[in-house]
Amino acid sequence: MRENWSSGRLTRRGVFSAAGLAGASVALPLHALAQSAKPDPAISEVQDWQRQLGDGVDKRAYGTPSKFEAHVVRRNVAWLTAAPESAANFTPLHALDGIITPSGLCFERHHSGIAEIDPAKHRLMINGLVDKPLVFTMDDLRRMPRTSRICFLECAANTGMEWRGAQLNGCQFTHGMIHNVMYTGVPLKLLLDEAGLKPNAKWLMLEGGDASGMNRSLPTEKALSDVLLAFAMNGEALRPEQGYPLRAVIPGWEGNLWVKWLRRIEVGDKPWAAREETARYTDLLADGRARQYTFVMDAKSVVTNPSPQAPLKYRGRNLLSGFAWSGRGAVKRVDVSLDGGRNWKTARLEAPVLDKSMTRFHLDFDWNGEELMVQSRAIDSTGYVQPDKQELRRIRGVNSVYHNNGIQSWLVRGNGEVENVELG
Ligand code: MTE
Ligand code: CO
């Protein structure tokens, strides 16, 4: 029996069969450990790592995670795309803590693979409707005033495979095209002020220096408010995957606009109607019309634990955990249901709760082996409430790929396994 929290009390037997030491340290007096019939070898036996010297400081010039965490990696879904150079992989959301995504686990989305750019040969040009066209080296940018900010980047296609029903079994795959990083860089406004915008300057075109030369149109209003040109993430230079040496950071707006390997900004008076805003990143509605330039990412949330890759292992005390975010502001509240939306409880938000950043939520619950239908619903500082999938489909139809922020449902079975399902 794995019951370790019978009628709300921890039994001595349960500690060793299921809860393990971590559980024991929470609630048990020490003498309960000493009285156990069988000694725990994790305590009573000397371990290998206690017998020998560990690596010296000369062995790991750049640190990597413990070998016991080797399963915590980005993963891709091979059948989704024709080639790994024009593809995406996914952040292991179920294996993270706090709100910062470690740089090596940030999902990647490339149209032409990872460009490896020599920063000494990288330039940023600003041209078009400006008084003074400018070219900056990376050293020029690093001598300008800089700011740091934590914010999420969500690909508009995140959860895009789920429009017609539950498909991928894991929050890594259904929701993992998002990461949350502290960026450091130069406010774009400073550069545009230096170049001097002409009175008819209304739109910018951001262009990447990778082989795809990916480009997107950005309204000057947003560019002048909170856009950063970042050269650093999480305290060090951008990773090549994330656009080294320079990327656009467009808080709250769809990831496709966050041009990586940024080499040029052209100023114009109308949007460019680039490939990524005509053939892609539009939302086909049921009546045949398509929404275009849908920049803002609406409020969304997902329970990461439990989820298909993070089943329930213990009965009794459990901690539900997840992420919520909104491109329109801060997360104000997250509701969690364990019974498919019949009853909702308010989750605990873990500090810090930041504007346009992923926010961590928790809910304590007891589990006695009953089936659960787990859902979460985010409410942001504008009062917007995350819709359920039926509600979303009534307005959007099922032809969309992008901007799926519907409520996710996980079915927890009696054996603790979790499945991606949809309530009909
Ligand atoms: N910028 C360039 N130059 N090339 C690209 O392929 N992909 C875009 C955007 N910027 C892309 C790009 C897309 S669709 C997304 S979702 C984000 O970058 C992904 O950023 P990430 O790889 O840091 O997760
Ligand atoms: Co994208």
Side-chain angles (χ1 to χ4, degrees):
M1 281 292 286
R2 307 190 87 190
E3 301 248 351
N4 58 0
W5 231 279
S6 53
S7 64
R9 275 184 318 126
L10 191 60
T11 64
R12 197 190 306 156
R13 187 182 145 72
V15 175
F16 290 95
S17 61
L21 271 183
S25 64
V26 177
L28 267 196
L30 267 179
H31 67 264
L33 291 169
Q35 283 170 14
S36 159
K38 265 215 268 158
D40 179 352
I43 300 170
S44 60
E45 284 174 19
V46 177
Q47 308 293 328
D48 278 354
W49 50 85
Q50 295 176 292
R51 290 183 221 274
Q52 63 205 26
L53 286 174
D55 278 354
V57 293
D58 52 340
K59 291 289 190 298
R60 304 185 190 192
Y62 195 100
T64 52
S66 160
K67 63 183 177 189
F68 299 106
E69 299 297 318
H71 56 286
V72 182
V73 288
R74 302 185 278 222
R75 293 181 194 278
N76 65 344
V77 176
W79 55 262
L80 269 180
T81 49
E85 294 80 10
S86 179
N89 58 19
F90 302 89
T91 307
L93 297 177
H94 60 290
L96 302 183
D97 271 292
I99 60 166
I100 297 292
T101 315
S103 299
L105 295 177
C106 287
F107 88 94
E108 307 163 60
R109 169 76 180 103
H110 318 302
H111 287 72
S112 293
I114 303 165
E116 292 271 9
I117 294 182
D118 177 350
K121 293 183 185 160
H122 190 70
R123 303 288 182 269
L124 173 70
M125 177 192 286
I126 300 183
N127 68 321
L129 296 178
V130 289
D131 299 329
K132 201 167 33 136
L134 296 172
V135 173
F136 297 89
T137 64
M138 287 310 298
D139 284 345
D140 292 338
L141 294 175
R142 287 180 161 279
R143 283 181 292 130
M144 299 194 67
R146 64 182 70 176
T147 55
S148 292
R149 167 168 196 174
I150 297 171
C151 49
F152 76 83
L153 180 171
E154 183 183 16
C155 179
N158 199 21
T159 324
M161 289 79 82
E162 305 287 309
W163 270 107
R164 293 168 193 208
Q167 181 163 214
L168 297 172
N169 228 14
C171 67
Q172 177 164 20
F173 306 109
T174 55
H175 289 74
M177 277 204 272
I178 187 166
H179 49 63
N180 202 61
V181 159
M182 177 180 274
Y183 296 97
T184 305
V186 183
L188 178 52
K189 180 177 190 311
L190 293 183
L191 305 184
L192 295 177
D193 285 350
E194 203 158 309
L197 292 178
K198 301 266 196 210
N200 56 339
K202 289 283 176 287
W203 288 80
L204 312 183
M205 187 270 288
L206 276 51
E207 181 185 272
D210 54 338
S212 76
M214 207 206 75
N215 63 342
R216 279 297 303 257
S217 307
L218 180 74
T220 45
E221 202 185 335
K222 176 70 172 173
L224 294 170
S225 63
D226 59 357
V227 172
L228 280 185
L229 302 191
F231 40 74
M233 63 191 279
N234 291 339
E236 61 180 359
L238 289 175
R239 294 286 170 90
E241 304 94 295
Q242 266 67 48
Y244 180 89
L246 191 68
R247 93 170 302 165
V249 169
I250 323 239
W253 287 26
E254 64 184 18
N256 186 254
L257 288 151
W258 298 45
V259 174
K260 302 192 276 191
W261 311 290
L262 181 69
R263 70 184 290 270
R264 194 165 71 91
I265 297 176
E266 186 172 332
V267 183
D269 58 0
K270 51 181 173 305
W272 265 255
R275 173 188 183 270
E276 304 296 314
E277 42 212 29
T278 49
R280 297 288 185 275
Y281 298 96
T282 60
D283 306 311
L284 186 57
L285 303 176
D287 64 6
R289 290 179 307 146
R291 305 192 314 171
Q292 216 181 348
Y293 301 113
T294 44
F295 296 130
V296 182
M297 300 308 292
D298 283 319
K300 186 165 166 180
S301 66
V302 65
V303 172
T304 56
N305 307 77
S307 67
Q309 297 156 289
L312 286 183
K313 287 198 272 189
Y314 305 111
R315 295 190 179 191
R317 178 191 286 196
N318 274 286
L319 180 69
L320 178 147
S321 185
F323 286 115
W325 59 93
S326 169
R328 297 186 192 275
V331 170
K332 195 174 73 185
R333 200 178 88 206
V334 178
D335 299 329
V336 172
S337 176
L338 301 178
D339 57 9
R342 274 190 286 277
N343 297 286
W344 294 92
K345 287 182 179 153
T346 304
R348 201 165 58 236
L349 301 186
E350 183 185 295
V353 177
L354 303 170
D355 213 48
K356 303 186 178 87
S357 160
M358 286 169 85
T359 299
R360 169 71 67 178
F361 63 85
H362 298 291
L363 183 80
D364 305 306
F365 71 104
D366 278 314
W367 183 60
N368 296 307
E370 69 276 23
E371 277 200 349
L372 305 175
M373 187 66 82
V374 176
Q375 299 182 319
S376 65
R377 173 173 73 190
I379 298 155
D380 73 14
S381 48
T382 69
Y384 175 94
V385 182
Q386 183 184 358
D388 67 34
K389 292 197 174 169
Q390 282 78 356
E391 216 177 322
L392 201 56
R393 287 195 190 105
R394 270 197 295 280
I395 301 163
R396 301 273 306 279
V398 290
N399 296 325
S400 280
V401 173
Y402 309 105
H403 297 279
N404 181 350
N405 69 325
I407 289 173
Q408 174 66 43
S409 307
W410 302 126
L411 171 66
V412 180
R413 297 195 185 281
N415 62 2
E417 281 174 12
V418 183
E419 214 180 295
N420 180 8
V421 294
E422 208 172 295
L423 289 179

